[in-house]
Amino acid sequence: MEQIQTVTTTTGESVVPGDEGKDKFKKCDQIAFYRRQKQLAGSVRYHALLDTLEVSETHAELQLQHTHTEARLLLQVCGIKGGAVRVKINELQPIRARYEVPDVLIGEPVTQRLRAEPGGGGAVTLSAEEGGFQVRIRGHPFLLEVESEGEVLVSVNAQGRLHFETLQTPPTQGVSSVDSDKVVLHTVDPSHDAVEHLSSKRLQGLIKGSYSICSQACVFQIRNICMETNSDFILLFQGEDSQGLWKEEFKTFLDVKANGPSSVGLDFSLHGFEHVYGIPEHADTLRLKNTRAGEPYRLYNLDVFAYEIHSRLGLYGSVPLLLGHRLGRTVGIFWLNVSETLLDIGNETETESSLQGPPQKKRREVPCTELHWMSESGVIDAFVLLGPSPLDVFRQFAALTGSQALPPLFSLGYHQSRWNYEDEADVLAVDAGFDQRDIPFDVIWLDIEHTDGKRYFTWDSKRFPDPARLQRHLQRRSRRLVVISDPHIKVDPDYPLYRDASEQGCFVRDRAGRVFEGSCWPGPCSYLDFTSPHVRDWYSSQFALNKYKGSTDALFVWNDMNEPSVFDGPEQTMPKDAVHCGGWEHRELHNLYGFYQHWATMEGLIRRSNGTERPFVLTRSFFAGSQRFGAVWTGDNVASWDYLKISIPMLLTLSITGISFCGADVGGFFQDPEPELLVRWYQAGALQPFFRGHSAMQTKRREPWLFGDENTRAIRDAIRERYRLLPYWYSLFHRAHCHAEPPIRPLWVEFPGEIQSFEMEDKYMIGNALLACPVTDAGVTEVNVLFLGSGEVSLPVCLQFWYDIRTFRRFEGGTNTSVPVTLDSVPLFQRGGTIVPRKTKAGRSTACLSSIPFDLTVALDSEGCAEGELYVDDGHSFNYRTKQEFTLRRFTFRNKTLSCSCADEKGQFQCVCSVERVVFLGLEAKPSAVIVQQGSGVREKKKPFRFEEETSMLTVENLKLKTVHSWELKIK
Amino acid sequence: MSGIWQHWLRKLAVFGRSSTEKGSDKTWKMASVYLALSLFLSCSLAVAVEIQRPRGVSLSNRHFYDQSKPFTCLDGSRTIPFDRVNDDYCDCKDSSDEPGTSACPRGNFHCTNAGHRPQYIPSSRVNDGICDCCDATDEYNSGSVCENTCRELGRKEKEILQQRAAVAQQGFLVKQQLIDEAKKGQEEKSRKLAELQESKDGKEDELEALRTVKEAAEAPEKEAKDQHHKAWEEQKAALRLEKDKARMALAFLELDDNADGLVSVEELQTHLELDPDSDGTLTEPEAQTMLGEAPQVDQTAFQDIVWASIKDKYQSETEPETPSQPETPQDPPSERLPEEEGEEDEEEEDEEDEDIDAEEDGKIPPVVSQTEKPEKEEEMPPYEAETQALIDAAQKSRDTFDEAEKALRDLEEQIRSLEKEISFDFGPSAEFSYLYSQCYELTTGEYVYRLCPFSRVTQKQKFGGSETNLGTWGSWAGPEDDKYSVMKYEQGTGCWQGPNRSTTVKLTCGTETAVVSTSEPSRCEYQVEFTTPAVCQEPKELDPASHDEL
């Protein structure tokens, strides 16, 4: 067994498992299916049997045949409404069912009928009725091309890497006869066998002792029998399985593959694309790298302690969605597979020849990105999302996997966490500390130490004798408590949850059929099988207020360690041969484990309020679709400038793959940040969707006021600005919920026509209006900003204006500027043509914002126009959708008139807040009068105003304009 | 008065409208009732209620808010009509026009909190839905229902203050005793120190005298011993020479195979072990060289020329199993022992005595086993009686001297520790000196904490386990004006992946001296609450009627 540092000391103190460095995790050449895919792909050929084509209402299907083995596969192609093509390949007649991913898609995609036409040259063309795309399938060899507007965007199997390992009958392996005192084991290849007699005593020794000397599969195979018969037996050692077909070793771990080889692989060529993004979670650049010379990107959810930056090792979660972007087109490839997945990315150039003119002259070099997806098991189920714009791709992806759940407003405030707040008094002191320094915050968090010996759903009665009272205290200040609930359950027959779960058969089993045990925080643990609907239901019911002792409706939940983390497992996770509900091996669904826990927890919180209150659940592990359940954070980062810097591309990558509500631990989880880093991290975190300060047990305390007045002030300002901006954030989350637009987005999403934006990752857009330029280096006195939108490349041709929200200075697109910064400033620019709603003040928590009036900043574009919207509801319940209790207002500035109108007539919410102040940026001249008209037929009223010549800023205050009424503000 | 009432009336109307969109009739009715009621109250109580002031203004500031005049911001920056005070719009840069609303960013709201202490809260907390003032006046328009808890709070606080005062009173009396005792103790110590100093001076003289006596006895002892050793060395040398000669003679006989009284080159070549370059053959020229270039040598020449160069290697034919003994034996084994220990302990004690390291460098081969049996004949004969008497006498004077020296060191140690104790900062009146060399324990769920003031803080598991040092005495670390309220203990046992442990001890007034609580607010940074009468201040007159306003 691997050497793992003691996890629980005798005093019950939690210790981080030993950091064995990079050796703990596999390199690609240590992954058998990757070696096989790489070896064999390209050497096998499939033909499409075009005469087997059948077209139905929902899809077209035909068979593929292997040129040598004649094994047949079934190809299904669907045209999905909204602009996507689904390509599904399975064995025509598998000997057993292969795993097809459930629950990730929100439903069967809405398809349209495809019209088949012979394409000539041994090809067939399937045309979609709407959306203007076609799929052409060539027979010899099999090639599938997706065309839109007369141009091939994506080719499938152009590199001939389709490799589909068909399921085989297991070799006569296993116990064939049980004599009274002898057990004989047959193995795959008799020519390589060695026979050995082992006394049961010796075998017991092998089993009980270190696994490292027990490197042969057979010992494991007969472990059960050994226990039962307690007699001598014969072992036939199997010959070396270098292909890793039926078993695979890593370090001291052995993986026995019950179903043998079952990997799948396929290539996609993105024509004209050299910029690709997505496939979280890696601590890497926004733009994905060419992997031809190194490790492929790995998607395998792992608990990586202080992960290495720029590594392609898979981190805590996976979204196998890759986006390609070029001028005029964005596409997505969604590879729906939840087993271990690897992606090789190659950038090539291909020569495009034109039909007209002399060939030499018209040939041009066109970039192309080749993707080679490989998964250990399951079927091929891929979606080509056709765009054409980035926002279209987001919508197409959300149509498949769902959009971001609308978070309760409090969860967009600031969260204060630490491993661990010691006891009730500590929590109360921190809570009071924020009020004392007038720093807003909404939620305080408790890590694992709040429990009785890491038994989740319990409380340490010494530290937290009356948790309900504590929650009521917080609630009186409109604040909440979040507690941790991990998927590992301490093996302890006196622990009711364990007992109940055992009795109900809720745990994952090992390959021998016994309840799997691994080590985690509490010591020996079993793992809840969240893939089972029954277990999810059982788990959800644990959150009922009368069931979860000490919980109140002010308590919310955090799921950690749900990759799952198993300290003594291979790569610190669950062995792939563990068995889940339905008999599926863990390898089939590994990447979905955390997704399911997140889901069950969310359900639990919804259910405890009888479906009326919005839940808040944070998860570390996730998969495509996890956005439906709550928030995600980037795990155990480190207090250094590099980790602050990488948090931005990491969060942008999550955002463009659907996981919009994401954040990184402010300050860095491990180690102690210097005060400057902490301040900069707060400033950066305040401009990210999920905003939580968190730190590890070994670090010094770092509540915002512990670093002197200057730093406290800078942190307070950053948090207050966040609170003031919450109406904008909340409106953005409403757009994410309804339209799948991520609240934070890479610059190329907003400026898809500007090549300069394609690799920018240190700056990004919040919505379409704000350009965030967080400082991520020490000792910075100025920040260089390149303003996009020179007007030359974008359509329609217009020059972009940008306004510094502090100085109100105007900058023009296409210019490069150095903006001076001090410790308390964060460069933030508002884009011309937008209107941003804020609160005039920050309350001490989000609940206090409801009575604070709004403040609009109207930033004019080069045409003198601007537009924006505001979404308001009660901030916590589902009434926004069950009773239409929301209001969506549109603000438009045109012809020197700002009007507030209703943008969704269904909305019924009576928002009491008024617009108190409006600031106009970019007016040409000082107005002679400002006139307000509220409601039709009401008398116009002149309003006093201030105009600053230098910045052309007009401020109109004391307006008291009802948000829910229509009104106009005219500038004369 | 009418001005401000009208203003409030307007406000009431505004709030009435703003809080409900529909059913404004009802609101108006309620407002009218309220209005009537308040008018009635204000009329009937006009005498009782001293004066009206805008909401959120303290009594001491009320004169700035005169409703009969325009209002000037407190910083003098601007003057506005009085009806813009508390109109929920911020006019003054210093926020002074909105004392009763949350409109200004840096305003302060005053709650009278009758029955308890008056208080200012940031005006951002007015009507934010959270009850801040115990008299509930900050939430007059947020829909939050706040109870007036001032009386209850005031009562509780008074109780606590009274308790605290009683404790302080008692503690302060104890403190006076402590100061007296400390004073006496200090005098006692100083006196003792002087005594010790004096005694030390005497002891030093005494020691010098004894040193002279000792040295006088040691001189003849040394002379006699040296003589004895010299004689023994000479005797040993003679003995060795004789033995060597015997071996030489035997060797000559053995080599002289043909017994012609001469050893020839050929004869020498029969003893392969003599091969000077150890290449396995003893060549003729090699043998020739050994014989001093003579063809053969007689016994005298053999002794003079050849023997010295071959005797270490020569193996006797009669006792071939025994390897030749080196003529100069190694140090006796008893003296080698430390070196062996040194080798074994190398890893643990890298900084062992330097001479051992130096010896190690010489890498003496492991011949120890061979020298374990020194030849018996080499035992020194006992001293003659006369010499032994000299030795005994010298030893006696040495013992006496050592004893006296030790007594002096003990005395010096006492002086040092006393000086150390006297030099400690035990507070302005030495009131903390009683804590010196005392220890106080607190047992929590898992641990026993032990505070030994001016020494160290430790933590030990309740059920066995070793003691962890949470810090040794560092310094007084209270704020400048209250230095003696905090003790700092530093440089305790190091933490895994963390700093050395340290402890902050907070001293509070109590009649008992005790550790009352411990915590670890940050990893490896401990905090101990410690009560002692030594920090009790003389309680001021309790002033229960400290409300500056109603």
Side-chain angles (χ1 to χ4, degrees), chain A residues 936-954:
Chain A
S936 54
V938 180
R939 203 162 54 89
E940 293 187 343
K941 216 172 158 186
K942 272 196 173 182
K943 284 282 173 184
F945 62 88
R946 276 201 324 271
F947 186 76
E948 286 174 29
E949 300 282 353
E950 202 190 330
T951 51
S952 302
M953 178 176 76
L954 169 70

Side-chain angles (χ1 to χ4, degrees), chain B residues 329-390:
Chain B
Q330 298 292 330
D331 297 335
S334 60
E335 288 178 36
R336 284 199 47 80
L337 274 174
E339 191 197 339
E340 285 183 347
E341 280 168 12
E343 273 175 72
E344 279 170 15
D345 295 344
E346 200 174 13
E347 283 175 17
E348 287 166 25
E349 295 171 65
D350 271 345
E351 286 159 47
E352 267 284 58
D353 291 346
E354 281 177 16
D355 50 348
I356 288 175
D357 278 350
E359 256 183 90
E360 290 247 324
D361 292 343
K363 278 287 169 233
I364 297 155
V367 288
V368 184
S369 58
Q370 292 173 12
T371 56
E372 260 170 7
K373 299 169 267 174
E375 287 168 45
K376 277 183 184 155
E377 53 185 344
E378 293 192 13
E379 213 162 271
M380 190 174 75
Y383 294 111
E384 288 146 36
E386 205 178 315
T387 313
Q388 190 58 49
L390 284 172

Side-chain angles (χ1 to χ4, degrees), chain B residues 8-78:
Chain B
W8 284 357
L9 225 155
R10 265 202 307 278
K11 277 181 76 67
L12 202 63
V14 169
F15 288 140
R17 258 191 244 127
S18 65
S19 57
T20 50
E21 287 304 316
K22 297 162 193 169
S24 54
D25 273 5
K26 195 176 165 193
T27 314
W28 271 109
K29 262 181 221 156
M30 279 172 61
S32 326
V33 169
Y34 178 57
L35 184 66
L37 195 67
S38 29
L39 278 173
F40 167 73
L41 281 173
S42 63
C43 292
S44 56
L45 298 175
V47 190
V49 175
E50 196 187 349
I51 190 153
Q52 284 75 32
R53 30 185 168 125
R55 205 193 289 273
V57 173
S58 68
L59 203 55
S60 50
N61 279 352
R62 67 160 192 264
H63 61 276
F64 295 118
Y65 298 84
D66 182 348
Q67 70 267 28
S68 61
K69 286 188 257 173
F71 175 73
T72 303
C73 305
L74 299 194
D75 61 1
S77 59
R78 207 174 160 193

Side-chain angles (χ1 to χ4, degrees), chain B residues 94-111:
Chain B
D94 68 353
S95 305
S96 56
D97 66 312
E98 294 295 317
T101 76
S102 60
C104 286
R106 279 171 298 276
N108 284 308
F109 178 89
H110 184 266
C111 7

Side-chain angles (χ1 to χ4, degrees), chain A residues 731-751:
Chain A
S731 301
L732 289 178
F733 269 95
H734 171 254
R735 285 200 76 76
H737 181 53
C738 298
H739 308 291
E741 295 173 12
I744 64 165
R745 31 191 108 147
L747 280 156
W748 61 262
V749 171
E750 285 298 319
F751 296 90

Side-chain angles (χ1 to χ4, degrees), chain A residues 5 10-11 13 15-16 305 418 422 435 438 462 476-478 697-701 841 844-845 847-848 851 910 912 916 957-958 960 962 965, chain B residues 18-19 21-22 87-90 102-105 122 124-125 127-132 445-447 461 496-499 520-523 525:
Chain A
Q5 197 159 342
T10 46
T11 59
E13 259 179 62
V15 173
V16 180
F305 169 93
R418 174 169 177 83
E422 290 293 315
D435 278 344
D438 229 353
K462 289 205 189 74
R476 273 199 292 278
R477 278 152 190 74
S478 299
M697 197 178 221
Q698 297 79 12
T699 60
K700 286 184 189 299
R701 293 291 283 247
K841 292 186 292 277
R844 73 177 113 170
S845 67
C848 302
S851 59
Q910 295 303 319
V912 294
E916 161 100 13
E957 290 180 302
N958 203 3
K960 300 195 168 44
K962 307 300 293 175
H965 290 176
Chain B
S18 65
S19 57
E21 287 304 316
K22 297 162 193 169
D87 69 342
D88 208 16
Y89 179 75
C90 192
S102 60
C104 286
S124 61
R125 294 179 188 175
N127 287 329
D128 69 350
I130 296 167
C131 312
D132 292 281
E446 285 170 40
Y447 298 103
Q461 267 181 42
W496 182 69
Q497 283 194 354
E520 190 182 355
S522 208
R523 190 81 174 146
E525 289 174 13

